[in-house]
Amino acid sequence: DIRAPSTALLRAAGWIVHDRSEDEAFMRSLYRPVYTDSEALSLGRRWVANNSVQRRADGWATYFKFFAWQAEEYDRVFLVDLDVQFNGPPDSVMMRLAAEETRPFLASAERAQRQYLGLNTHLALLAPSNRTFHELLRRAQSGDYIPYTNTEQDILESMYPGEDFDGKAALSRIPHLHYVLPFHTSACARTSLLRAA
């Protein structure tokens, strides 16, 4: 929920705020977490053995990131999670990267405890597309992805494999640290919208 005082503060600081709080019930209705191989088998879901699946129950909150694909008035959108801290002004590097990149999506590839190369979407660059937005929702609702984080990352990995959409080198040019909060939150709190020059 973005409350009025928080919204006013964000806007005063120059943020573009699109309050989607009214969509919480819808996002929750899409959520299809799977935690075990027997559960996946009984539901007819995809599964990878020995994948150390996370037992998160809050992954629906990360689905709010999908709304960034509806921002078609922008050439590129940067998604930035709440637990990211910029170590310097990111604007010029972000604008340059947005202008240079031709792939429709970019995030940092990582294996972590997966049995395959996946993505970490704490900082991601995307090309808005309403068509992609609807495909992301379809995959979420149908469970058409391999469960690992039980968040939006799994759905994004099903569309954008880590080996093809790895932007770790490019994104590392943006001066930032990840996991800087005393707790790790699943909700995307900040979305920077940039028009490529």
Side-chain angles (χ1 to χ4, degrees), residues 83 179-185:
D83 60 351
Y179 300 120
V180 295
L181 297 178
F183 61 91
H184 181 68
T185 183

Side-chain angles (χ1 to χ4, degrees), residues 8-26:
L9 286 173
L10 289 169
R11 286 191 172 115
W15 289 93
I16 298 170
V17 178
H18 298 279
D19 185 355
R20 304 302 303 220
S21 302
E22 73 280 359
D23 293 306
E24 180 179 340
F26 174 66

Side-chain angles (χ1 to χ4, degrees), residues 97 103 106-112 117-120 122-123 162 165-174 176:
L97 182 57
R103 290 174 286 182
L106 200 63
S108 295
E110 72 171 13
R111 186 167 302 276
L117 189 63
L119 295 171
N120 185 312
H122 71 280
L123 182 61
F165 295 92
D166 180 16
K168 187 177 273 186
L171 294 169
S172 69
R173 295 177 7 213
I174 299 169
H176 75 284

Side-chain angles (χ1 to χ4, degrees), residues 110-188:
E110 72 171 13
R111 186 167 302 276
Q113 300 297 313
R114 295 173 188 83
Q115 298 301 311
Y116 54 90
L117 189 63
L119 295 171
N120 185 312
T121 60
H122 71 280
L123 182 61
L125 174 66
L126 63 96
S129 161
N130 206 39
R131 184 180 203 182
T132 301
F133 170 75
H134 288 290
E135 178 60 15
L136 291 166
L137 296 183
R138 185 200 67 76
R139 289 177 188 233
Q141 187 168 39
S142 67
D144 186 11
Y145 57 87
I146 298 170
Y148 170 67
T149 62
N150 279 304
T151 69
E152 97 294 344
Q153 285 184 181
D154 299 341
I155 297 156
L156 290 168
E157 289 169 1
S158 75
M159 288 185 65
Y160 305 107
E163 46 282 329
D164 298 329
F165 295 92
D166 180 16
K168 187 177 273 186
L171 294 169
S172 69
R173 295 177 7 213
I174 299 169
H176 75 284
L177 294 172
H178 187 209
Y179 300 120
V180 295
L181 297 178
F183 61 91
H184 181 68
T185 183
S186 64
C188 174

